mmCIF file of all heavy atoms in Angstrom:
data_model
loop_
_atom_site.group_PDB
_atom_site.id
_atom_site.type_symbol
_atom_site.label_atom_id
_atom_site.label_comp_id
_atom_site.label_asym_id
_atom_site.label_seq_id
_atom_site.Cartn_x
_atom_site.Cartn_y
_atom_site.Cartn_z
ATOM 1 N N ALA A 460 19.577 3.347 45.734
ATOM 2 C CA ALA A 460 19.041 4.683 45.465
ATOM 3 C C ALA A 460 20.168 5.674 45.212
ATOM 4 O O ALA A 460 20.118 6.472 44.284
ATOM 5 C CB ALA A 460 18.176 5.135 46.633
ATOM 6 N N ARG A 461 21.203 5.589 46.032
ATOM 7 C CA ARG A 461 22.248 6.593 45.895
ATOM 8 C C ARG A 461 23.258 6.265 44.796
ATOM 9 O O ARG A 461 24.142 7.068 44.503
ATOM 10 C CB ARG A 461 22.949 6.820 47.239
ATOM 11 C CG ARG A 461 23.712 5.634 47.739
ATOM 12 C CD ARG A 461 24.421 5.947 49.028
ATOM 13 N NE ARG A 461 23.482 6.041 50.150
ATOM 14 C CZ ARG A 461 23.846 6.380 51.372
ATOM 15 N NH1 ARG A 461 25.087 6.700 51.622
ATOM 16 N NH2 ARG A 461 22.969 6.393 52.343
ATOM 17 N N GLY A 462 23.124 5.100 44.214
ATOM 18 C CA GLY A 462 24.084 4.722 43.174
ATOM 19 C C GLY A 462 23.600 5.013 41.762
ATOM 20 O O GLY A 462 24.305 4.755 40.784
ATOM 21 N N LYS A 463 22.398 5.581 41.637
ATOM 22 C CA LYS A 463 21.811 5.740 40.295
ATOM 23 C C LYS A 463 22.624 6.667 39.396
ATOM 24 O O LYS A 463 22.837 6.376 38.227
ATOM 25 C CB LYS A 463 20.373 6.262 40.415
ATOM 26 C CG LYS A 463 19.400 5.200 40.875
ATOM 27 C CD LYS A 463 18.002 5.756 41.004
ATOM 28 C CE LYS A 463 17.045 4.675 41.488
ATOM 29 N NZ LYS A 463 15.709 5.189 41.769
ATOM 30 N N GLN A 464 23.062 7.792 39.960
ATOM 31 C CA GLN A 464 23.793 8.747 39.127
ATOM 32 C C GLN A 464 25.131 8.178 38.689
ATOM 33 O O GLN A 464 25.582 8.401 37.574
ATOM 34 C CB GLN A 464 23.994 10.045 39.888
ATOM 35 C CG GLN A 464 22.700 10.812 40.035
ATOM 36 C CD GLN A 464 22.929 12.266 40.394
ATOM 37 O OE1 GLN A 464 23.992 12.824 40.154
ATOM 38 N NE2 GLN A 464 21.927 12.876 40.982
ATOM 39 N N LYS A 465 25.742 7.434 39.627
ATOM 40 C CA LYS A 465 27.034 6.840 39.281
ATOM 41 C C LYS A 465 26.843 5.794 38.181
ATOM 42 O O LYS A 465 27.618 5.714 37.236
ATOM 43 C CB LYS A 465 27.659 6.195 40.524
ATOM 44 C CG LYS A 465 29.113 5.818 40.295
ATOM 45 C CD LYS A 465 29.843 5.544 41.570
ATOM 46 C CE LYS A 465 29.488 4.182 42.101
ATOM 47 N NZ LYS A 465 30.338 3.804 43.246
ATOM 48 N N ALA A 466 25.785 5.016 38.318
ATOM 49 C CA ALA A 466 25.499 3.991 37.305
ATOM 50 C C ALA A 466 25.236 4.664 35.953
ATOM 51 O O ALA A 466 25.713 4.201 34.918
ATOM 52 C CB ALA A 466 24.290 3.165 37.741
ATOM 53 N N LEU A 467 24.517 5.763 35.990
ATOM 54 C CA LEU A 467 24.241 6.499 34.740
ATOM 55 C C LEU A 467 25.556 6.938 34.095
ATOM 56 O O LEU A 467 25.776 6.725 32.901
ATOM 57 C CB LEU A 467 23.367 7.725 35.038
ATOM 58 C CG LEU A 467 23.263 8.735 33.894
ATOM 59 C CD1 LEU A 467 22.386 8.182 32.763
ATOM 60 C CD2 LEU A 467 22.700 10.073 34.361
ATOM 61 N N ARG A 468 26.425 7.523 34.900
ATOM 62 C CA ARG A 468 27.687 8.027 34.329
ATOM 63 C C ARG A 468 28.521 6.891 33.764
ATOM 64 O O ARG A 468 29.189 7.034 32.749
ATOM 65 C CB ARG A 468 28.460 8.810 35.392
ATOM 66 C CG ARG A 468 27.788 10.109 35.795
ATOM 67 C CD ARG A 468 28.772 11.052 36.453
ATOM 68 N NE ARG A 468 29.417 10.446 37.606
ATOM 69 C CZ ARG A 468 28.932 10.455 38.838
ATOM 70 N NH1 ARG A 468 27.776 11.055 39.076
ATOM 71 N NH2 ARG A 468 29.594 9.896 39.818
ATOM 72 N N HIS A 469 28.439 5.756 34.441
ATOM 73 C CA HIS A 469 29.161 4.582 33.955
ATOM 74 C C HIS A 469 28.672 4.227 32.540
ATOM 75 O O HIS A 469 29.470 3.976 31.637
ATOM 76 C CB HIS A 469 28.911 3.416 34.915
ATOM 77 C CG HIS A 469 29.579 2.153 34.507
ATOM 78 N ND1 HIS A 469 30.906 1.904 34.797
ATOM 79 C CD2 HIS A 469 29.124 1.084 33.830
ATOM 80 C CE1 HIS A 469 31.231 0.713 34.307
ATOM 81 N NE2 HIS A 469 30.164 0.184 33.720
ATOM 82 N N TYR A 470 27.364 4.246 32.357
ATOM 83 C CA TYR A 470 26.803 3.927 31.032
ATOM 84 C C TYR A 470 27.170 5.003 30.011
ATOM 85 O O TYR A 470 27.453 4.708 28.861
ATOM 86 C CB TYR A 470 25.274 3.779 31.121
ATOM 87 C CG TYR A 470 24.872 2.357 31.415
ATOM 88 C CD1 TYR A 470 25.089 1.800 32.669
ATOM 89 C CD2 TYR A 470 24.323 1.552 30.425
ATOM 90 C CE1 TYR A 470 24.753 0.486 32.935
ATOM 91 C CE2 TYR A 470 23.976 0.234 30.684
ATOM 92 C CZ TYR A 470 24.195 -0.296 31.938
ATOM 93 O OH TYR A 470 23.870 -1.591 32.187
ATOM 94 N N LEU A 471 27.126 6.250 30.449
ATOM 95 C CA LEU A 471 27.450 7.339 29.518
ATOM 96 C C LEU A 471 28.877 7.193 29.014
ATOM 97 O O LEU A 471 29.169 7.406 27.841
ATOM 98 C CB LEU A 471 27.275 8.695 30.206
ATOM 99 C CG LEU A 471 25.841 9.105 30.551
ATOM 100 C CD1 LEU A 471 25.825 10.454 31.270
ATOM 101 C CD2 LEU A 471 24.979 9.195 29.282
ATOM 102 N N GLU A 472 29.762 6.820 29.923
ATOM 103 C CA GLU A 472 31.161 6.704 29.526
ATOM 104 C C GLU A 472 31.391 5.463 28.678
ATOM 105 O O GLU A 472 32.201 5.462 27.770
ATOM 106 C CB GLU A 472 32.049 6.694 30.754
ATOM 107 C CG GLU A 472 31.890 7.986 31.526
ATOM 108 C CD GLU A 472 33.087 8.333 32.361
ATOM 109 O OE1 GLU A 472 34.001 7.494 32.451
ATOM 110 O OE2 GLU A 472 33.081 9.434 32.917
ATOM 111 N N GLN A 473 30.669 4.436 29.003
ATOM 112 C CA GLN A 473 30.860 3.187 28.271
ATOM 113 C C GLN A 473 30.227 3.254 26.877
ATOM 114 O O GLN A 473 30.808 2.837 25.897
ATOM 115 C CB GLN A 473 30.233 2.045 29.051
ATOM 116 C CG GLN A 473 30.549 0.698 28.419
ATOM 117 C CD GLN A 473 30.452 -0.418 29.435
ATOM 118 O OE1 GLN A 473 30.720 -0.220 30.611
ATOM 119 N NE2 GLN A 473 30.056 -1.576 28.977
ATOM 120 N N GLU A 474 29.024 3.791 26.811
ATOM 121 C CA GLU A 474 28.282 3.777 25.543
ATOM 122 C C GLU A 474 28.524 5.028 24.702
ATOM 123 O O GLU A 474 28.306 5.016 23.504
ATOM 124 C CB GLU A 474 26.779 3.648 25.817
ATOM 125 C CG GLU A 474 26.392 2.451 26.671
ATOM 126 C CD GLU A 474 26.587 1.134 25.938
ATOM 127 O OE1 GLU A 474 26.743 1.161 24.708
ATOM 128 O OE2 GLU A 474 26.592 0.085 26.605
ATOM 129 N N LYS A 475 28.898 6.101 25.365
ATOM 130 C CA LYS A 475 29.112 7.381 24.665
ATOM 131 C C LYS A 475 27.995 7.682 23.668
ATOM 132 O O LYS A 475 28.227 7.833 22.456
ATOM 133 C CB LYS A 475 30.460 7.365 23.942
ATOM 134 C CG LYS A 475 31.640 7.317 24.895
ATOM 135 C CD LYS A 475 32.922 7.575 24.163
ATOM 136 C CE LYS A 475 34.077 7.743 25.112
ATOM 137 N NZ LYS A 475 34.183 6.714 26.149
ATOM 138 N N PRO A 476 26.759 7.775 24.129
ATOM 139 C CA PRO A 476 25.667 8.027 23.186
ATOM 140 C C PRO A 476 25.815 9.385 22.493
ATOM 141 O O PRO A 476 26.231 10.355 23.136
ATOM 142 C CB PRO A 476 24.418 8.006 24.077
ATOM 143 C CG PRO A 476 24.912 8.234 25.460
ATOM 144 C CD PRO A 476 26.323 7.732 25.522
ATOM 145 N N SER A 477 25.481 9.403 21.222
ATOM 146 C CA SER A 477 25.559 10.672 20.485
ATOM 147 C C SER A 477 24.454 11.616 20.968
ATOM 148 O O SER A 477 24.556 12.831 20.859
ATOM 149 C CB SER A 477 25.415 10.416 18.987
ATOM 150 O OG SER A 477 24.217 9.695 18.742
#
Side-chain angles (χ1 to χ4, degrees):
R461 65 178 73 184
K463 285 179 181 174
Q464 289 198 22
K465 192 164 77 172
L467 167 73
R468 292 200 303 273
H469 179 83
Y470 270 71
L471 291 178
E472 299 205 353
Q473 187 156 328
E474 305 291 345
K475 294 191 171 48
S477 55

